[in-house]
Amino acid sequence: MDAVSDHHIDGKQIAAQLRANIASEVSELKDVTGEVPGLAIILVGDDPASRVYVANKHRQTVETGMKSLEFRLSEQTTQAELVALIERLNEDHSVHGILVQLPLPAQTEAEAVINAIAVEKDVDGFHVLNAGRLATGLASLVPCTPLGTVMLLKDRLGDLSGLHAVVVGRSNIVGKPLSQLLLAENCTVTVAHSHSRNLPDICRSADILVAAVGRPELIRGDWIKPGAVVIDVGINRLSDRDGVRLVGDVATSEAGHAAAITPVPGGVGPMTIACLLSNTLQAFRRSLAPAAS
Ligand code: NAD
């Protein structure tokens, strides 16, 4: 970390640095192999937030010198059609990463769709084999938001060993994989969720507090231990007279006594996309030297 005594953790800047590193590695690999990593992004339906996410992923993929293929499918797409597309992309040697933007429409079962992706192309890290590999400490493609969260923490704190990390939220895409990554960093990990009792007290015991809930400003200032590092993963859209604004799961204005906190937007969000690109580069590298992976 630079000598930033800044209270805010600048996810935008750290993500920009990561993307710059990825771009230079892509360029070096292109010189050697004549190929670039390819990422296929599949969007089913018209969810406005998903469209924005997919557009950002596409733009940043291209900006780092990779190939981006976008597939926009209608809301009525059947599971069989979606799986057939994925199977075609599994066989395509110019595609190294496949991402299906969630949520999917009701007629498709997300788990079956995700598990149809070839495990070595599962750059979101949601395939059951990647989840199992992460849980058992084997090399795997790791979900992007948890990976970005740990990068932000290490950038700020260096060694995380022995710190008490409280993760609020236990979803398969954020809370659970994050708790496993933090265990691998030798943190003492507590996972809290909607059934936890005394959530404020649990949070007050955290050196590292991560909120991944989806409830605007659930975590109040007096739930935060002085000097804790707080990562706010939540993205909540609030509409008021001034239009739509994004807020996190933490009441940031009450968190002045935290050592550092991520803003929403501009904290974890940019890291999520940068880590997707990093996973795509990793999948490409492994495709070049499968025996070494
Ligand atoms: P989810 O709905 O799948 O899981 C929410 C979790 O919060 C659950 O485990 C639930 O038990 C817990 N929870 C709900 N209410 C609670 C309460 N009152 N007290 C304690 N725990 C409670 O959500 P998710 O997919 O894990 O996403 C969580 C948030 O993170 C959302 O706001 C989402 O938009 C955001 N998110 C951000 C990024 C990013 O890139 N920044 C990526 C993924 C998700």
Side-chain angles (χ1 to χ4, degrees):
M1 187 183 71
D2 309 340
V4 191
S5 49
D6 199 359
H7 183 249
H8 269 58
I9 297 174
D10 190 347
K12 259 192 201 166
Q13 192 260 324
I14 296 169
Q17 184 58 56
L18 179 56
R19 290 199 306 275
N21 295 345
I22 292 168
S24 71
E25 204 175 322
V26 167
S27 157
E28 280 166 25
L29 284 168
K30 186 180 178 185
D31 288 345
V32 177
T33 66
E35 289 179 59
V36 295
L39 174 63
I41 305 175
I42 304 173
L43 173 64
V44 185
D46 245 354
D47 179 69
S50 292
R51 274 180 23 202
V52 172
Y53 292 141
V54 165
N56 285 337
K57 288 170 185 175
H58 170 73
R59 180 174 47 78
Q60 295 186 26
T61 304
V62 172
E63 280 172 4
T64 45
M66 304 193 201
K67 189 175 75 166
S68 169
L69 295 104
E70 246 188 281
F71 298 86
R72 290 169 177 257
L73 309 182
S74 87
E75 183 83 28
Q76 282 73 43
T77 304
T78 65
Q79 182 161 317
E81 288 167 333
L82 191 48
V83 169
L85 170 60
I86 290 170
E87 284 172 350
R88 193 152 55 75
L89 295 169
N90 284 344
E91 298 301 319
D92 184 335
H93 294 300
S94 72
V95 171
H96 306 91
I98 302 170
L99 176 151
V100 178
Q101 185 66 42
L102 301 177
L104 287 171
Q107 74 277 13
T108 43
E109 197 203 328
E111 205 172 77
V113 170
I114 297 303
N115 289 332
I117 298 173
V119 65
E120 69 278 7
K121 297 191 180 188
D122 168 42
V123 283
D124 253 343
F126 297 158
H127 191 293
V128 67
L129 287 181
N130 275 319
R133 292 179 70 90
L134 175 63
T136 53
L138 295 172
S140 61
L141 286 162
V142 174
C144 305
T145 300
L147 187 58
T149 297
V150 171
M151 282 183 191
L152 291 179
L153 286 168
K154 289 175 82 167
D155 183 77
R156 178 58 60 142
L157 290 167
D159 184 12
L160 307 184
S161 174
L163 296 176
H164 183 205
V166 171
V167 178
V168 189
R170 59 172 168 184
S171 71
N172 286 340
I173 66 171
V174 188
K176 254 185 238 168
L178 176 60
S179 67
Q180 286 152 354
L181 287 175
L182 290 168
L183 272 179
E185 294 295 333
N186 298 318
C187 290
T188 302
V189 181
T190 300
V191 183
H193 46 78
S194 54
H195 294 258
S196 296
R197 295 183 189 167
N198 298 327
L199 186 61
D201 281 343
I202 296 171
C203 292
R204 275 181 206 115
S205 68
D207 304 310
I208 293 168
L209 178 59
V210 184
V213 181
R215 301 270 181 282
E217 301 191 336
L218 171 80
I219 311 278
R220 310 309 310 182
D222 66 350
W223 300 17
I224 299 170
K225 177 160 102 175
V229 173
V230 182
I231 306 287
D232 191 353
V233 178
I235 301 175
N236 306 289
R237 285 175 175 72
L238 292 189
S239 309
D240 56 22
R241 271 188 314 201
D242 304 325
V244 177
R245 64 193 172 95
L246 296 183
V247 297
D249 290 342
V250 181
T252 313
S253 61
E254 300 172 6
H257 56 293
I261 185 166
T262 53
V264 177
V268 176
M271 292 302 290
T272 294
I273 303 188
C275 287
L276 169 69
L277 305 178
S278 170
N279 279 351
T280 305
L281 175 58
Q282 187 187 331
F284 175 62
R285 262 198 254 102
R286 285 188 182 169
S287 77
L288 298 173
S293 63

